Amino acid sequence: GAVWIEPRDSVVHASAVVFTKVFEFRGAEELFYPPYDLSRFSWGSVNGTLNRTALTAEFRGVPAGEPSGGFADGSLAFRVTAYEADGRDGPLPRLLHTANSSKVEFVLAGVAPRGNGSRFALEVATVEEAGAARRLRLARSIDDEYTPAIFETLSLAAEVPGAVLSFLQWKATAYGSRSPQREDGIRCRARELRAANCTLPPSAIVRGYFGGRPGGGCSTSALNISFGGEDGNIYQERRYLSWCVGSGHGPVPVPVPASLASSPPRRSALLGFGQPPADAFSALVVAIVAVALGTPAALLLLGGLAVLLARRRRYSEYEPIN
């Protein structure tokens, strides 16, 4: 009850997305090390990274009780970007956004892994008001014009019957470079979405707004997003991981600590209200497909007509008999 919106009856929909833990596990056997609890990180001030012109900010942190260890030369960071107009992000995965979208990028850089072949996973928790439920959606498309070789887009949507209220959207890939190219891609998988029995995540903002409500006043869920597969050694070699997520309706406050120092794996996503934006074939792709399919079809049609006409013209050395 410490955080509220005035007037209170003006709120159409309220939800929260919280990044709670980072897991490190080894290889296919998934032997887990103790997780990094982001609520126990020491986060630096955002004032030094806030760019009011570019509408960006970076939260950077390290474990509060571990000034050395794996984070001696590394950090974990969340980079937030707001947008003023519709468009598409510049770097891969080139997420499509609207003027009401925000992007969150998770970056793990320079953090020393605790074992050979270590891979990482990020736990994402959501909180919804009563009546809405989160669903994990998967959209497949043959159009990989903007994100080469990535044919899947995932979204964590808050739904009521007949409508989508808000979303968290991302491409099924992460990258192991600050200037990602196609060859820097890291496999990204979303595990099963599970209910959390209305146990609010350890966030002061979330507890201040959703806490203290009677039973059934909210619902919570969580899922893990893992990075790495057969390409899991990319982080071992480059010590960098990035993942991007998108959302909508203006800059969205992200109730997370500031960051983990250095350069981690990189991921990003969109966060927003309403239906998530969907990619469509550009005019260039439509023209190329039309030419590629239309030319053989036209040649086949003309060839068929030529054969038909040739068969109708019969030649013979004999005169027809009356």
Side-chain angles (χ1 to χ4, degrees):
V3 179
W4 66 89
I5 305 296
E6 290 286 359
R8 299 200 180 201
D9 59 359
S10 67
V11 178
V12 176
H13 168 67
S15 66
V17 175
V18 188
F19 303 108
T20 52
K21 295 178 182 178
V22 173
F23 297 98
E24 182 180 351
F25 59 96
R26 191 176 66 195
E29 68 272 20
E30 294 194 354
L31 174 63
F32 281 80
Y33 297 96
Y36 294 112
D37 188 342
L38 300 186
S39 67
R40 298 181 179 180
F41 270 48
S42 175
W43 300 91
S45 172
V46 73
N47 294 333
T49 64
L50 181 61
N51 187 324
R52 299 183 183 277
T53 302
L55 303 179
T56 60
E58 180 174 311
F59 303 87
R60 186 176 300 167
V62 296
E66 187 183 345
S68 57
F71 283 83
D73 299 316
S75 67
L76 183 154
F78 291 94
R79 298 171 183 166
V80 183
T81 302
Y83 300 102
E84 293 182 306
D86 296 357
R88 188 176 295 276
D89 213 26
L92 290 174
R94 302 203 62 192
L95 293 171
L96 183 67
H97 62 78
T98 68
N100 293 326
S101 294
S102 298
K103 183 182 75 169
V104 180
E105 183 177 6
F106 169 66
V107 180
L108 187 63
V111 176
R114 289 175 281 186
N116 294 328
S118 281
R119 301 170 188 172
F120 295 89
L122 177 66
E123 183 181 65
V124 182
T126 65
V127 183
E128 310 298 330
E129 289 184 324
R134 285 280 174 174
R135 299 285 185 272
L136 182 61
R137 294 177 161 190
L138 172 62
R140 291 185 172 93
S141 172
I142 62 171
D143 182 13
D144 66 344
E145 177 184 4
Y146 299 104
T147 313
I150 306 301
F151 302 99
E152 295 181 348
T153 300
L154 296 97
S155 58
L156 194 57
E159 300 178 349
V160 295
V164 176
L165 301 176
S166 63
F167 65 88
L168 185 73
Q169 184 185 60
W170 66 94
K171 290 280 190 177
T173 184
Y175 294 96
S177 171
R178 288 177 175 82
S179 302
Q181 303 296 323
R182 176 180 176 180
E183 58 271 17
D184 301 319
I186 299 174
R187 185 181 180 185
C188 173
R189 292 192 302 168
R191 304 301 178 96
E192 182 181 1
L193 181 67
R194 61 192 187 279
N197 299 322
C198 205
T199 300
L200 293 177
S203 163
I205 295 178
V206 170
R207 292 182 180 275
Y209 186 85
F210 291 97
R213 300 192 178 197
C218 64
S219 62
T220 60
S221 57
L223 83 162
N224 293 334
I225 301 173
S226 62
F227 308 94
E230 61 279 359
D231 50 5
N233 291 328
I234 290 181
Y235 182 76
Q236 298 282 339
E237 300 168 357
R238 305 183 183 180
R239 298 287 176 90
Y240 192 86
L241 172 67
S242 167
W243 175 70
C244 296
V245 186
S247 69
H249 230 56
V252 178
V254 182
V256 295
S259 84
L260 272 169
S262 227
S263 3
R266 177 175 179 177
R267 315 166 177 77
S268 64
L270 286 178
L271 178 65
F273 290 103
Q275 287 280 358
D279 277 318
F281 289 103
S282 67
L284 175 62
V285 171
V286 172
I288 293 175
V289 171
V291 171
L293 298 180
T295 301
L299 292 175
L300 184 62
L301 179 61
L302 292 175
L305 290 174
V307 171
L308 182 61
L309 292 175
R311 292 183 62 182
R312 295 186 62 181
R313 296 180 59 186
R314 298 178 181 273
Y315 293 92
S316 175
E317 295 178 357
Y318 300 97
E319 292 292 331
I321 298 176
N322 188 350

